[in-house]
Amino acid sequence: MIREQETTVRFHVWGSPELSEERVRLIRLDNDGMTYAMAVTEEGYLLHVYYGKRCGEDDLTYLLHLEEGNYVPRHHKREKGGFMDSRPFEYPCHGIGDYREPCFMILDGDGMSSCDLRYKSHRIVQGKPALTEKGVSVIPATFAGSEEAETLIVTMEDSHAGLLVELNYSIFRNLNVMTRSAKVYNRGYRDTRVQRVLSACVEFPSDRYDMVTLNGSWARERGVCRAPLHGGVQAVDSRRGISSAQHNPFAAICAKNADEDHGEVFGFNLVYSGNFLAETEVNDKRQARFVMGINPYDFSWLLKPEEEFTAPEVVMVYSEEGFGGMSRTFHDLYRNHLIRGYWKDRERPVLINNWEATYFNFDQDKLYAIAEQASKLGIEMLVMDDGWFGHRDFDDSSLGDWHVYEKKLAGGLKPLVDRVNALGMKFGIWFEPEMVSEDSELYRAHPEWAIQIIGRELTQMRAQYVLDYSNAEVRDYVYGMLRNILDSANIEYVKWDMNRALTEVGSTTLPAKRQRELWHRYVLGVYDLMNRLTTDYPKLLLENCSSGGGRFDPAMLYFSPQIWTSDDTDAIERLKIQYGTSFCYPASAMGAHVSDCPNHLVGRTVPFETRGDVALVGTFGYELDVTRISEEDRNQIPGQVERFHRFNPLIRKGDHYRIGNPFESSEYDAWAFVSKDKNEALFTFVRILGAANMPPVNVKLKGLDPKKRYLCEQTGQVLSGSTLMNCGLNIGTRGDFMSKQYYFRVAEEA
Ligand code: GLA
């Protein structure tokens, strides 16, 4: 519900006997769980008032404490310097006395960078409009119908620069979620450069919070890091052109006492796949300002008269049930209001991917042999990974030459795909459409299509360059090749990979004054192609990947219902990676496969059963040569596939409860998926390191209905939800890396 209210705030100005007063317009957004409030002052400043648990029907303007400190004694006149540098702004600007991190900064026609955005008007619409420019949707965002969300659009104006900025706030009715985004219009008669246009700012009245971020590296993505707020700036960002494995576009501000199940957490996730910034600044008054959006680093966007720029959206989740509550809200939101298309609510096929099985060393017969064996075990799709095109025998050639490597696949794709289909299996294929190898026909024909600075040495990473996706001609050409392949056989899945960051960021087609736009234009180009692909092939299952989970962000989920979580397939390392990933992203989106041991990256050997149980938390599959593993392991596959089919609806649609914490303990990890009606639950326990002379591990379940009684399929025991959650289960294991799974269903209502 979005409402407004006009009030008069009266207060004493120091040194004056008379009361001062100011007319203030309060706008508040409420749902059952939370309230967000802002106020417009007489001078048109848009101030933040409150964000948190739902509050009462009171006049909240007292929270503005307008009386304090910011008036010139005896003059009743606002002391602007002090006011600007201490007030909580909804969308702070640079250059007018607020010295904290701004959201908005320009370079106007006179070369001036100051900007003063004041409230002009607002409107309220039912539902949640798409993020558009000139009426065309340009950037991924969550969606909601008119019954599900309501949107406040506040128009701010800088009349001096001739700019309008629209601030969008959508509040969801049944989820503790708000989204924010910003859109700039040049309504002046001169060109303006937008130097910074962040999407959201949330002011916290104190610094008594911690900040949590998800940091890592290739094959070690999304480790959970928590640190207290302190004076100055704390930030994570990406300057790589992709959202990155190093830092996820996520941050949470949480109460000091917040933990997995309790306490206030404010989670923020940017729906964007390029350079981002998530930053908290604590000022001299110990107030904390959190901002998030496109990274202003090396960003500059020329806005000509009548042009528009749309900044991506920040998803804001409020939880009073700790990080677990935050994650479950993100999961519900992304499953129902972000992921789209044919596969949104469908179980995904159990796949076998040949990357770790063969790397580049395969041909049609080898792939067929894997598929043939796999089909007997119940696996439903063969995915042919890297190495099927151009003359690619290693990772140093052929990207951009998307035609079949006849030496490996004589006669093209169709013979292989037909044979695989005849086994009753689907067929999927790997592409890396954003790239070009130096050794490729494409690069030889069009060296100017690579992102580059003419005259400078071009940096190679994995012997490849990045194509200039800001150039529609490049996109069209690549898409033509993709279509040829996709139309040449019955291909039902694509793994879209992206294996390097951007360097020498320049385009051979953009004019000098627009070169700094390439970072963002590149990302928009990627979205354009993904949009075309998913529109033209509506039933295609698209899985994103970027050297594993280097682009695991909400904007990718808008196009692909699943993302390859990490190149690290070791089940024990995966405990941490999947734990961190689940902070924002649902299990239905996490690509997880059983791979061979010793693990190719880590060198660790983990029981096949544990590998299966860990991979079950995601879109399940295999990444091994099923013809070469031991008979004993192979024999377990049909049972694992059966368990996947049985439990996937629960895992895909249920509530995810993290119970162990692999970042804090190497004793065990555990989690549960509980159905929305709380009638069934799947509980998984992984013993990490064994220990001698210790009692069984006692683990308390979560998320059950305390009053219901549950039958445990494995033990035959019937216990109430309250007993299972308060007294726990005793779990005895021997050895390292052992896993156990328990399935509970309601036995009888109490
Ligand atoms: C990346 C992906 C892998 C695999 C290889 C192929 O590293 O993350 O899964 O597809 O590329 O080169």
Side-chain angles (χ1 to χ4, degrees):
M1 196 179 0
I2 303 177
R3 290 167 296 168
E4 58 183 298
Q5 169 195 346
E6 291 250 359
T7 43
T8 302
V9 184
R10 295 194 174 78
F11 48 89
H12 277 288
V13 175
W14 183 80
S16 165
E18 302 155 40
L19 269 181
S20 278
E21 60 178 47
E22 179 157 357
R23 294 287 293 165
V24 171
R25 185 199 294 247
L26 185 81
I27 308 175
R28 60 185 276 178
L29 300 89
D30 298 276
N31 63 19
D32 288 346
M34 64 183 204
T35 299
Y36 189 99
M38 66 191 83
V40 186
T41 67
E42 278 177 7
E43 292 148 308
Y45 294 115
L46 188 63
L47 300 179
H48 180 71
V49 176
Y50 174 79
Y51 176 33
K53 192 174 163 99
R54 169 75 191 245
C55 55
E57 300 297 311
D58 299 300
D59 177 0
L60 299 177
T61 49
Y62 73 95
L63 291 169
L64 286 169
H65 50 90
L66 281 173
E67 72 285 6
E68 276 168 30
N70 301 126
Y71 279 78
V72 182
R74 288 193 300 280
H75 289 278
H76 288 238
K77 187 173 175 324
R78 182 162 276 150
E79 200 287 288
K80 227 180 124 188
F83 178 81
M84 296 307 293
D85 204 26
S86 63
R87 295 298 97 181
F89 288 99
E90 279 297 313
Y91 201 68
C93 298
H94 161 81
I96 49 168
D98 179 350
Y99 297 98
R100 294 161 290 176
E101 198 70 26
C103 278
F104 196 62
M105 197 167 161
I106 58 169
L107 213 49
D108 70 17
D110 296 321
M112 301 302 166
S113 61
S114 295
C115 185
D116 190 357
L117 289 172
R118 305 276 182 111
Y119 171 89
K120 187 170 189 283
S121 62
H122 74 268
R123 61 188 199 276
I124 296 164
V125 296
Q126 295 306 307
K128 186 172 182 296
L131 302 185
T132 58
E133 272 165 30
K134 308 272 183 207
V136 178
S137 166
V138 280
I139 198 159
T142 56
F143 50 82
S146 54
E147 294 300 308
E148 296 166 322
E150 213 178 348
T151 300
L152 167 73
I153 303 165
V154 182
T155 303
M156 308 289 289
E157 181 176 35
D158 181 328
S159 48
H160 183 85
L163 291 177
L164 293 182
V165 176
E166 272 181 5
L167 305 177
N168 300 311
Y169 301 79
S170 296
I171 183 161
F172 281 72
R173 203 147 285 161
N174 297 321
L175 288 168
N176 280 347
V177 173
M178 274 187 46
T179 59
R180 284 193 57 179
S181 62
K183 180 171 175 180
V184 192
Y185 298 82
N186 186 350
R187 290 282 184 264
Y189 58 93
R190 292 207 290 177
D191 292 358
T192 296
R193 283 194 164 279
V194 178
Q195 300 291 83
R196 163 191 290 255
V197 51
L198 301 186
S199 300
C201 169
V202 176
E203 305 258 12
F204 293 86
S206 80
D207 64 351
R208 290 189 297 271
Y209 294 94
D210 291 346
M211 181 163 165
V212 175
T213 51
L214 299 173
N215 308 316
S217 184
W218 170 69
R220 198 167 16 85
E221 294 90 343
R222 291 171 291 284
V224 180
C225 302
R226 179 171 182 164
L229 292 186
H230 55 68
V233 158
Q234 270 156 285
V236 287
D237 75 349
S238 166
R239 303 171 183 192
R240 294 164 194 270
I242 49 174
S243 42
S244 92
Q246 284 71 15
H247 305 288
N248 198 256
F250 161 83
I253 304 294
C254 66
K256 292 274 177 207
N257 65 355
D259 61 19
E260 180 60 22
D261 304 304
H262 314 95
E264 280 199 307
V265 179
F266 301 85
F268 302 91
N269 203 190
L270 186 68
V271 188
Y272 189 59
S273 312
N275 292 348
F276 74 92
L277 173 69
E279 180 182 304
T280 311
E281 181 175 3
V282 173
N283 70 354
D284 54 332
K285 315 263 181 320
R286 299 189 61 182
Q287 302 157 318
R289 169 180 289 176
F290 176 80
V291 294
M292 192 178 226
I294 293 181
N295 201 339
Y297 180 87
D298 202 20
F299 172 88
S300 179
W301 195 275
L302 179 65
L303 210 60
K304 290 178 170 293
E306 296 309 315
E307 282 185 349
E308 304 169 9
F309 181 90
T310 298
E313 115 179 341
V314 174
V315 171
M316 299 167 37
V317 167
Y318 171 71
S319 164
E320 52 171 335
E321 285 174 17
F323 295 98
M326 174 196 76
S327 298
R328 286 184 290 279
T329 303
F330 272 121
H331 299 171
D332 283 342
L333 180 77
Y334 291 168
R335 288 183 297 200
N336 299 316
H337 299 277
L338 180 66
I339 293 170
R340 304 169 302 159
Y342 181 80
W343 291 99
K344 177 174 181 279
D345 298 315
R346 285 190 159 81
E347 187 172 305
R348 323 283 159 68
V350 176
L351 66 82
I352 184 155
N353 177 303
N354 74 307
W355 177 239
E356 287 192 31
T358 66
Y359 295 102
F360 295 102
N361 185 20
F362 64 85
D363 58 17
Q364 192 193 128
D365 289 341
K366 199 162 182 177
L367 291 182
Y368 183 73
I370 290 174
E372 192 179 30
Q373 179 67 263
S375 70
K376 291 183 192 145
L377 302 167
I379 297 172
E380 297 158 312
M381 179 162 74
L382 173 74
V383 174
M384 179 174 67
D385 211 279
D386 193 356
W388 58 266
F389 51 91
H391 60 99
R392 187 140 159 122
D393 288 314
F394 195 59
D395 63 7
D396 56 357
S397 85
S398 304
L399 294 169
D401 297 344
W402 301 111
H403 47 77
V404 169
Y405 189 6
E406 288 277 336
K407 191 178 98 182
K408 295 184 185 177
L409 302 166
L413 285 180
K414 197 163 173 7
L416 173 63
V417 179
D418 285 350
R419 286 174 79 194
V420 170
N421 285 168
L423 293 169
M425 289 176 85
K426 296 179 190 296
F427 185 87
I429 197 169
W430 178 98
F431 282 107
E432 199 178 353
E434 297 157 69
M435 297 295 151
V436 62
S437 304
E438 185 166 42
D439 176 10
S440 66
E441 290 161 23
L442 183 64
Y443 189 71
R444 280 186 284 275
H446 287 291
E448 78 284 6
W449 281 3
I451 286 183
Q452 61 192 276
I453 297 173
I454 295 168
R456 279 195 189 278
E457 185 191 345
L458 243 178
T459 301
Q460 286 195 359
M461 290 183 196
R462 213 190 187 205
Q464 66 201 52
Y465 303 128
V466 184
L467 287 170
D468 178 3
Y469 263 36
S470 73
N471 181 350
E473 199 187 347
V474 175
R475 299 201 300 272
D476 289 347
Y477 188 84
V478 172
Y479 190 52
M481 287 188 285
L482 257 55
R483 287 204 69 144
N484 279 343
I485 290 294
L486 294 178
D487 294 343
S488 72
N490 182 25
I491 296 170
E492 297 180 73
Y493 160 108
V494 163
K495 177 174 171 187
W496 178 310
D497 208 344
M498 196 294 183
N499 281 317
R500 62 156 288 181
L502 277 54
T503 54
E504 294 85 31
V505 175
S507 163
T508 57
T509 54
L510 288 174
K513 59 187 177 191
R514 290 210 181 268
Q515 286 290 347
R516 300 319 336 118
E517 298 174 12
L518 181 54
W519 292 106
H520 182 59
R521 287 185 182 275
Y522 176 80
V523 177
L524 295 182
V526 172
Y527 294 155
D528 172 57
L529 216 54
M530 286 191 184
N531 193 35
R532 283 154 79 175
L533 183 65
T534 49
T535 308
D536 292 346
Y537 299 90
K539 286 194 175 173
L540 184 80
L541 176 55
L542 183 63
E543 174 152 354
N544 256 284
C545 174
S546 177
S547 303
R551 203 158 60 179
F552 208 126
D553 61 59
M556 287 290 118
L557 289 181
Y558 186 73
F559 300 104
S560 58
Q562 59 194 60
I563 303 177
W564 183 226
T565 310
S566 178
D567 277 349
D568 187 345
T569 53
D570 169 67
I572 299 305
E573 291 285 291
R574 274 289 183 124
L575 296 175
K576 286 183 177 163
I577 296 168
Q578 293 177 185
Y579 180 100
T581 304
S582 75
F583 259 49
C584 310
Y585 309 106
S588 66
M590 283 196 247
H593 300 166
V594 175
S595 65
D596 208 357
C597 277
N599 181 269
H600 293 191
L601 286 186
V602 183
R604 183 182 282 133
T605 296
V606 172
F608 202 79
E609 188 182 356
T610 306
R611 283 179 262 160
D613 288 349
V614 173
L616 221 54
V617 189
T619 68
F620 189 69
Y622 293 85
E623 185 112 1
L624 40 72
D625 186 344
V626 75
T627 65
R628 292 174 56 183
I629 56 173
S630 72
E631 196 67 29
E632 199 189 332
D633 286 352
R634 194 164 37 238
N635 287 341
Q636 291 196 45
I637 292 179
Q640 288 180 338
V641 170
E642 196 189 310
R643 281 222 303 288
F644 166 79
H645 289 308
R646 179 164 179 217
F647 295 127
N648 187 256
L650 180 52
I651 292 170
R652 200 160 31 86
K653 298 188 244 169
D655 286 329
H656 187 165
Y657 288 86
R658 292 180 294 259
I659 296 175
N661 182 343
F663 288 97
E664 284 178 359
S665 164
S666 55
E667 192 185 0
Y668 72 88
D669 192 9
W671 57 88
F673 287 90
V674 181
S675 62
K676 290 279 178 194
D677 61 10
K678 297 195 182 291
N679 282 345
E680 51 172 351
L682 180 70
F683 168 69
T684 307
F685 171 90
V686 178
R687 178 78 198 197
I688 303 177
L689 295 179
N693 194 22
M694 290 290 285
V697 181
N698 178 270
V699 187
K700 294 174 177 165
L701 267 66
K702 293 181 186 176
L704 303 175
D705 182 334
K707 295 203 186 92
K708 287 180 175 164
R709 295 180 64 75
Y710 294 89
L711 167 71
C712 176
E713 192 172 276
Q714 284 68 22
T715 63
Q717 227 176 353
V718 176
L719 291 169
S720 66
S722 58
T723 300
L724 287 164
M725 293 194 290
N726 297 324
C727 311
L729 283 180
N730 285 339
I731 303 171
T733 50
R734 275 178 64 79
D736 298 339
F737 318 136
M738 305 301 287
S739 68
K740 289 202 168 179
Q741 238 167 22
Y742 300 86
Y743 172 68
F744 297 88
R745 70 181 148 78
V746 159
E748 64 197 72
E749 297 291 338

